[in-house]
């Protein structure tokens, strides 16, 4: 008898998590934001939320972590809602860099002098500066409110310790922001934009929240519970395309071959991914590979995708 997908997941998900967990030993927990270094090296959790409301989780899916770069997908969407495509893409490009997420190297080489894409740090900082609001607090509040609606969780909040930790040590991001200010691409001052950026990176979630946010993308912007449009379909399309081309940074090509799904990683070890029309998925595994993506998380998603034939390609 051929098992259906949910039965396979129910039967094997825990076992796949345990098999992939072992690879964490070969990874490194991020230390450049001191507070992130406290995460458990071999933690691995996953939560899958189906379009019909079914869900399944395995491993340490309940443990909270900060969104970090995963937040960049949704601030991009909010900036698109605020200003439209033409305005956003006059300040940030659409091409992968092939460099690390925090690389400063190509900033000076780009013609026009705008960051290559909205998912590298420099691009996300520009996007943060475009969010509408009277001041940093109001802009951050709009971001948090939007994220809460997408996650279906009015309790989403900042991890203040991670926020402070990055704010005190994020000098590479600070230097990028000064460069962008000099080029006239920042919509506000350096400390204001960094406050907005560090705050959305430090929003605390668990795998279920990521899965719910991912499911909205999987459903072309519709609220899974009510069907209400939370994001215009065109902006979901743009976000998913960036997730495929740049979502795993300079590991995006390898991930497209291995899993073939839109995804976005963060240095806390989170990965948000989705199967269009079917699943939103949240994964966490803090030990990272050299590209800054969760080593066990990538393996788990590749395993799921290959076993269940989810690749888009
Ligand atoms: N807050 C992190 C930073 O700016 C986000 C990077 C990431 O998650 N890759 O360095």
């Amino acid at each position: 008898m051929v098992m259906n997908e949910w039965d396979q997941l129910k039967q094997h998900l825990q076992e796949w998590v345990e098999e992939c967990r072992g690879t964490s030993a070969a990874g490194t927990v991020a230390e450049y934001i001191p507070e992130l270094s406290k995460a458990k090296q071999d933690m691995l959790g996953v939560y899958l939320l189906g379009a019909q409301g079914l869900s399944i989780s395995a491993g340490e899916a309940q443990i909270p972590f900060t969104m970090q770069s995963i937040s960049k997908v949704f601030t991009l969407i909010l900036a698109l809602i605020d200003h439209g495509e033409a305005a956003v893409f006059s300040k940030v490009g659409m091409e992968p860099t092939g460099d690390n997420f925090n690389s400063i190297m190509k900033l000076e080489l780009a013609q026009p002098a705008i960051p290559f894409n909205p998912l590298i740090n420099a691009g996300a900082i520009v996007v943060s500066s475009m969010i509408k609001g009277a001041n940093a607090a109001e802009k951050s509040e709009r971001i948090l409110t939007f994220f809460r609606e997408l996650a279906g969780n009015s309790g989403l909040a900042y991890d203040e310790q991670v926020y402070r930790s990055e704010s005190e040590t994020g000098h590479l991001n600070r230097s990028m922001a000064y460069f962008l200010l000099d080029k006239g691409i920042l919509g506000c001052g350096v400390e204001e934009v960094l406050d907005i950026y560090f705050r959305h990176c430090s929003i605390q979630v668990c795998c279920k929240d990521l899965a719910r946010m991912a499911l909205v993308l999987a459903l072309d912007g519709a609220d899974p519970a009510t069907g209400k449009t939370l994001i215009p379909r065109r902006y979901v399309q743009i976000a998913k395309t960036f997730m495929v081309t740049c979502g795993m940074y300079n590991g995006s090509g390898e991930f497209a071959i291995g899993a073939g799904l839109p995804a976005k990683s963060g240095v806390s070890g989170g990965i948000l991914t989705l199967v269009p029309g079917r699943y939103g998925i949240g994964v966490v595994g803090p030990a990272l590979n050299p590209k800054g993506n969760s080593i066990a998380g990538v393996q788990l998603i590749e395993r799921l995708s290959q076993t269940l034939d989810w690749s888009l390609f």
Side-chain angles (χ1 to χ4, degrees):
M1 191 192 85
V2 183
M3 260 200 281
N4 81 29
E5 206 162 273
W6 277 105
D7 288 339
Q8 281 196 68
L9 284 167
K10 271 191 244 151
Q11 194 162 330
H12 296 292
L13 191 61
Q14 187 67 46
E15 163 195 325
W16 294 335
V17 164
E18 292 319 322
E19 280 171 22
C20 294
R21 188 191 296 278
T23 57
S24 305
T28 324
V29 175
E31 284 174 348
Y32 78 100
I33 301 174
E35 197 62 27
L36 294 185
S37 66
K38 296 179 181 166
K40 203 164 139 258
Q41 168 98 19
D42 69 347
M43 167 178 151
L44 183 61
V46 58
Y47 193 103
L48 276 99
L49 185 57
Q52 265 72 46
L54 287 174
S55 66
I56 184 166
S57 66
E60 288 106 318
Q62 326 288 349
I63 296 185
F65 53 94
T66 51
M67 288 182 82
Q68 297 302 332
S69 284
I70 298 170
S71 59
K72 295 170 180 174
V73 173
F74 301 98
T75 50
L76 169 66
I77 291 171
L78 190 55
L80 286 166
I81 291 172
D82 280 355
H83 301 280
E85 280 178 61
V88 169
F89 295 118
S90 69
K91 294 192 167 179
V92 65
M94 299 182 185
E95 303 303 335
T97 61
D99 301 326
N100 287 344
F101 62 86
N102 54 3
S103 177
I104 204 160
M105 199 160 54
K106 289 212 173 86
L107 267 188
E108 212 181 353
L109 300 175
Q111 277 309 331
I114 58 174
F116 265 59
N117 69 68
L119 300 186
I120 51 169
N121 286 10
I125 290 170
V126 171
V127 168
S128 298
S129 82
M130 297 183 83
I131 302 300
K132 280 187 181 165
N135 49 40
E138 210 176 288
K139 293 173 192 179
S140 290
E141 189 57 37
R142 286 192 61 234
I143 295 171
L144 187 60
T145 304
F146 185 51
F147 285 24
R148 283 174 172 167
E149 187 174 30
L150 298 175
N153 179 357
S154 59
L156 286 194
Y158 306 112
D159 180 327
E160 292 291 342
Q161 271 155 321
V162 172
Y163 164 72
R164 270 197 302 278
S165 184
E166 185 167 15
S167 189
E168 281 160 14
T169 58
H171 303 309
L172 187 53
N173 285 326
R174 206 160 261 121
S175 64
M176 282 179 215
Y178 274 108
F179 182 89
L180 296 165
L181 181 72
D182 181 71
K183 294 287 172 220
I185 329 170
L186 272 195
C188 60
V190 165
E191 285 311 319
E192 177 174 345
V193 74
L194 289 174
D195 191 64
I196 299 161
Y197 174 79
F198 293 148
R199 281 220 168 267
H200 67 69
C201 286
S202 70
I203 292 174
Q204 196 178 58
V205 289
C206 62
C207 290
K208 183 180 182 179
D209 300 311
L210 290 189
R212 176 57 150 69
M213 295 177 94
L215 186 58
V216 175
L217 300 182
L219 299 178
D220 288 331
D223 183 313
T226 64
K228 178 184 146 194
T229 299
L230 301 179
I231 306 169
R233 187 171 175 276
R234 171 66 182 155
Y235 299 156
V236 175
Q237 196 174 51
I238 292 172
K240 287 193 296 191
T241 311
F242 276 122
M243 289 165 77
V244 169
T245 56
C246 315
M248 305 296 275
Y249 304 112
N250 40 347
S252 297
E254 213 176 317
F255 188 80
I257 301 279
L261 298 172
K264 182 73 206 86
S265 62
V267 278
S268 54
I271 303 178
L272 175 153
T273 188
L274 59 107
V275 184
R278 303 186 58 205
Y279 300 106
I281 303 171
V283 173
V284 64
L288 307 177
N289 64 24
K291 310 273 169 79
N293 301 317
S294 167
I295 191 164
V298 166
Q299 206 195 37
L300 179 63
I301 297 165
E302 291 185 350
R303 177 75 177 263
L304 282 162
S305 180
Q306 288 174 20
T307 309
L308 302 170
D309 196 20
W310 284 346
S311 173
L312 305 186
F313 303 106

